[in-house]
């Protein structure tokens, strides 16, 4: 069964186009050009702002001209994550899908349902001739997954609508009215290297098989962080033998929980057996601690040729201790929203190559002041460790508006469709609503979507039946928007 056999047909057809068109963050140009051509062929106007965001406009259906303008909003890019055994070039290769037990999956990679479902739904509305709606704008931003740059650099005085439907949420029966803000903390330092003794052995340690996931949505689920787990093992090994680090590579995205980490090191030949025993011990230890959530965790040790240089003894210890001390995970749960994380940090990407160290940590919070407080604490830690630290791409949170008329209307539509109102939620993730709302403060906004699981990991999947419900809610909501007073 293919995507083109699913309903609603128009939505899935557009999603197939998104799967066929590579669109990792920073490489949205091909898709944007394709959508501009598509819009022109249907007589729809389109514009691109200075950041590269795409805006497509459609006139109201007859009799709906007096409705307030609605903005359908999503982002063009997707997270690029693949299993270790799945060769995939996200810049050139299409996403291959499969259907299993009522879900659409990708084959060994992220699916791009985040935010492909929202983009596909907006495109399906734009091409329709039987859906009632007022004046429409579809805003497709870029680089949401990597930096939020599209939203941050959105052109002011460009959008004409007064209601914004963000189509980037991931649960049926829920409507989101607030989200976390965030900031990246980027750290760099040069560590001293030394010549490696000729009789030392080169070793590569790998930690693989973790589930990964979204650094906001999954941060509280007790999943492993490959960077932290490998550092913990290396520090234990340092207590037994004078090993030295040559390289380290862990995680790929600051907003994805690290699934894999790799370290190349050197050590005396007579310490090799002890290291092999330690790796076997930590394999069992980690499974005992995390096996319920990380049953596929795997540590591997491979012998390799010894490099000519590696960090010296002091630098190796300093780097590992610095990473060991770095925070990761939930800092505080929200006192106002049950079960919602207020503040967290993800130790997302760590690199060491030829003595050059870098780390990227992503801080999130429902409170902008708490975002900065934790980011400043991380900065202090890494500066004490001799690093240059920059806090980059900050973005504001989305403060809930309990008086939202759009929320009231959404609840009426939801109750008519499902027999009950939706659960009102605040999400510990970086929806673009907060950023867009700072540029367009008069907008009334809500966010909703179908059921998506495993976002930002190769386990990403979307529930087929929920897509039909999501689509019908969108259609019903557009039709129900009342005339301007």
């Amino acid at each position: 069964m293919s995507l083109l056999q699913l309903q609603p047909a128009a939505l899935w057809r557009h999603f197939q186009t998104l799967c066929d068109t590579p669109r990792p963050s920073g490489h949205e140009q091909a898709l944007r050009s394709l959508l501009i051509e598509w819009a022109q062929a249907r007589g729809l106007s389109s514009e691109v702002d200075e950041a590269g965001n795409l805006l497509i406009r459609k006139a109201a259906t007859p009799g709906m001209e007096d409705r307030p303008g609605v903005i359908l909003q999503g982002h063009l890019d997707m997270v690029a994550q693949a299993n270790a055994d799945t060769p995939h070039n996200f810049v050139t290769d299409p996403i291959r899908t499969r259907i299993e037990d009522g879900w659409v999956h990708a084959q060994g990679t992220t699916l791009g349902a985040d935010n492909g479902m929202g983009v596909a739904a907006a495109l399906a509305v734009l091409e329709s001739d039987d859906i009632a709606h007022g004046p429409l704008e579809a805003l497709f931003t870029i680089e949401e997954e990597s930096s939020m740059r599209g939203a941050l650099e959105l052109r002011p005085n460009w959008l004409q609508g007064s209601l914004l439907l963000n189509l980037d949420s991931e649960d049926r029966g829920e409507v989101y009215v607030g989200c976390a803000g965030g900031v990246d903390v980027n750290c760099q330092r040069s560590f001293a290297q030394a010549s490696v003794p000729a009789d030392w052995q080169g070793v590569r340690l790998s930690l693989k098989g973790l589930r990964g996931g979204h650094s906001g949505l999954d941060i509280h689920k007790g999943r492993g962080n490959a960077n932290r787990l490998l550092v913990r093992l290396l520090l234990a090994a340092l207590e037994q033998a004078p090993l030295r680090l040559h390289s380290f590579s862990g995680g790929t995205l600051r907003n994805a929980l690290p699934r894999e980490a790799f370290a190349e090191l050197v050590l005396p030949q007579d310490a090799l057996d002890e290291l092999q025993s330690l790796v076997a011990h930590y394999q069992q230890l980690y499974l005992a601690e995390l096996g319920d959530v990380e049953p596929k965790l795997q540590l591997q040790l491979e012998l390799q040729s010894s490099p000519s240089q590696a960090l010296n003894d002091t630098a190796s210890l300093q780097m590992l201790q610095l990473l060991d001390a770095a925070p990761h995970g939930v800092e505080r749960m929200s006192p106002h929203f049950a079960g919602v994380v207020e503040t967290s940090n993800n130790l997302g990407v760590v690199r060491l190559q030829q003595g050059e160290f870098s780390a990227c940590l992503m801080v999130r919070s429902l409170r902008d002041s708490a975002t900065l407080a934790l980011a400043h604490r991380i900065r202090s830690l890494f500066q004490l460790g001799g690093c240059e630290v920059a806090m980059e791409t900050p973005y504001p949170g989305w403060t809930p508006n309990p008086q939202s008329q759009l929320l009231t209307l959404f609840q009426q539509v939801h109750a008519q469709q499902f027999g009950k109102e939706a659960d009102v939620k605040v999400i510990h993730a970086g929806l673009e609503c907060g950023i867009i709302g700072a540029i367009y403060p008069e907008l009334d906004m809500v966010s909703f979507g179908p059921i998506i699981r495993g976002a930002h990991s190769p386990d990403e999947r979307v529930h087929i039946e929920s897509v039909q419900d999501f689509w019908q809610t969108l259609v019903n909501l557009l039709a129900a928007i009342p005339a301007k007073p």
Side-chain angles (χ1 to χ4, degrees):
M1 188 175 187
S2 75
L3 298 185
L4 299 182
Q5 295 173 281
L6 301 176
Q7 295 295 326
L11 187 156
W12 286 106
R13 174 165 39 80
H14 286 296
F15 185 66
Q16 181 66 67
T17 298
L18 299 180
C19 291
D20 292 340
T21 311
R23 53 188 178 96
S25 292
H27 297 273
E28 304 93 337
Q29 300 93 329
L31 177 58
R32 185 178 57 215
S33 297
L34 186 68
L35 296 183
I36 291 171
E37 293 178 8
W38 174 87
Q40 291 173 343
R42 283 154 184 79
L44 302 174
S45 67
S46 62
E47 296 179 54
V48 178
D49 71 359
E50 295 75 11
N53 301 308
L54 173 62
L55 185 65
I56 301 176
R57 291 191 172 98
K58 182 184 180 184
T61 54
M64 301 281 283
E65 295 85 356
D66 59 349
R67 269 54 173 182
V70 175
I71 304 159
L72 306 177
Q73 193 266 318
H75 58 87
L76 295 179
D77 60 318
M78 64 174 284
V79 164
Q81 291 270 289
N83 287 327
D85 58 355
T86 305
H88 190 89
N89 186 331
F90 282 92
V91 177
T92 60
D93 299 343
I95 300 297
R96 295 176 297 151
T97 61
R98 61 183 172 87
I99 297 173
E100 182 179 327
D101 297 330
W103 295 79
V104 174
H105 306 247
Q107 298 185 32
T109 70
T110 38
L111 174 63
D114 172 15
N115 182 224
M117 284 289 107
V119 172
L123 293 171
V125 172
L126 288 173
E127 80 166 23
S128 70
D129 56 13
D130 60 352
I131 295 175
H133 59 76
L136 279 184
E137 294 171 292
L139 173 63
F140 302 122
T141 52
I142 63 164
E143 298 182 27
E144 189 269 355
E145 299 291 7
S146 60
S147 66
M148 295 278 194
R149 185 175 73 85
L152 287 166
E153 298 181 11
L154 179 65
R155 180 191 294 173
N157 305 314
W158 193 32
L159 305 179
Q160 299 171 1
S162 59
L163 307 176
L164 186 141
L165 306 180
N166 173 274
L167 307 178
D168 193 17
S169 293
E170 301 176 1
D171 256 309
R172 177 173 55 186
E174 298 179 350
V175 57
Y176 287 84
V177 297
C179 73
V183 65
D184 298 343
V185 185
N186 291 307
C187 314
Q188 293 183 322
R189 179 186 165 175
S190 295
F191 279 102
Q193 297 191 96
S195 297
V196 175
D199 59 344
W200 280 30
Q201 176 65 53
V203 170
R204 186 174 191 263
L205 284 177
S206 305
L207 193 151
K208 299 187 291 185
L210 300 185
R211 295 178 64 183
H214 192 293
S215 69
L217 301 180
D218 301 317
I219 196 75
H220 62 296
K221 295 180 179 179
R223 298 179 183 177
N225 179 313
N227 290 326
R228 292 181 62 82
L229 293 172
L230 189 55
V231 164
R232 179 180 167 188
L233 168 60
L234 289 168
L235 278 172
L238 256 179
E239 294 179 356
Q240 299 182 350
L243 66 84
R244 300 177 186 173
L245 279 174
H246 171 61
S247 71
F248 192 104
S249 177
T252 58
L253 293 168
R254 94 269 195 259
N255 60 356
L257 302 176
R259 298 182 297 114
E260 299 176 342
F262 308 89
E264 294 180 333
L265 53 132
V266 292
L267 72 168
Q269 289 276 358
D270 59 8
L272 185 58
D273 289 345
E274 198 165 8
L275 177 60
Q276 289 174 323
S277 297
L278 190 68
V279 170
H281 169 70
Y282 269 81
Q283 170 74 38
Q284 297 306 313
L285 179 65
Y286 286 160
L287 286 176
E289 293 178 354
L290 297 169
D292 289 343
V293 291
E294 300 288 9
K296 296 181 181 180
L297 183 154
Q298 186 176 18
L299 281 168
Q300 291 181 331
L301 182 151
E302 303 170 83
L303 302 183
Q304 60 183 24
S305 59
S306 179
S308 61
Q309 286 200 319
L311 300 192
N312 63 31
D313 294 338
T314 300
S316 295
L317 179 60
Q318 284 180 339
M319 177 184 149
L320 293 174
Q321 288 181 326
L322 190 57
L323 291 172
D324 189 49
H328 169 81
V330 176
E331 174 80 4
R332 186 173 191 244
M333 299 298 291
S334 171
H336 305 294
F337 301 96
V340 175
V341 178
E342 180 184 273
T343 307
S344 74
N345 172 63
N346 180 44
L347 178 59
V349 183
V350 177
R351 296 287 184 269
L352 173 69
Q353 192 70 33
Q354 298 180 340
E356 298 301 318
F357 165 80
S358 64
C360 179
L361 302 90
M362 185 176 188
V363 180
R364 302 178 187 266
S365 182
L366 301 179
R367 294 180 178 272
D368 292 342
S369 60
T371 300
L372 291 178
L374 180 53
H376 288 160
R377 180 149 54 90
I378 294 169
R379 182 179 65 182
S380 296
L381 169 67
F382 279 90
Q383 285 178 337
L384 286 170
C387 294
E388 295 182 3
V389 182
M391 296 194 299
E392 300 177 343
T393 61
Y395 60 91
W398 173 22
T399 303
N401 174 18
Q403 281 77 46
S404 167
Q405 295 181 3
L406 181 57
L407 174 61
T408 299
L409 179 64
F410 182 93
Q411 292 290 43
Q412 294 170 355
V413 168
H414 194 277
Q416 291 172 358
Q417 182 177 348
F418 297 102
K420 61 179 181 179
E421 292 187 345
D423 293 333
V424 178
K425 297 283 188 175
V426 172
I427 191 171
H428 188 66
L431 296 175
E432 294 167 292
C433 296
I435 303 171
I436 296 172
I439 301 171
Y440 292 87
E442 300 305 316
L443 283 176
D444 197 355
M445 303 181 287
V446 296
S447 178
F448 62 104
I451 299 174
I452 298 172
R453 295 292 180 264
H456 296 191
S457 81
D459 293 327
E460 183 184 3
R461 58 204 182 277
V462 60
H463 187 249
I464 296 170
E465 181 184 321
S466 74
V467 173
Q468 177 70 59
D469 290 338
F470 160 62
W471 170 252
Q472 197 58 55
T473 301
L474 175 59
V475 171
N476 293 344
L477 184 59
L478 290 172
I481 291 173
K484 299 176 186 177

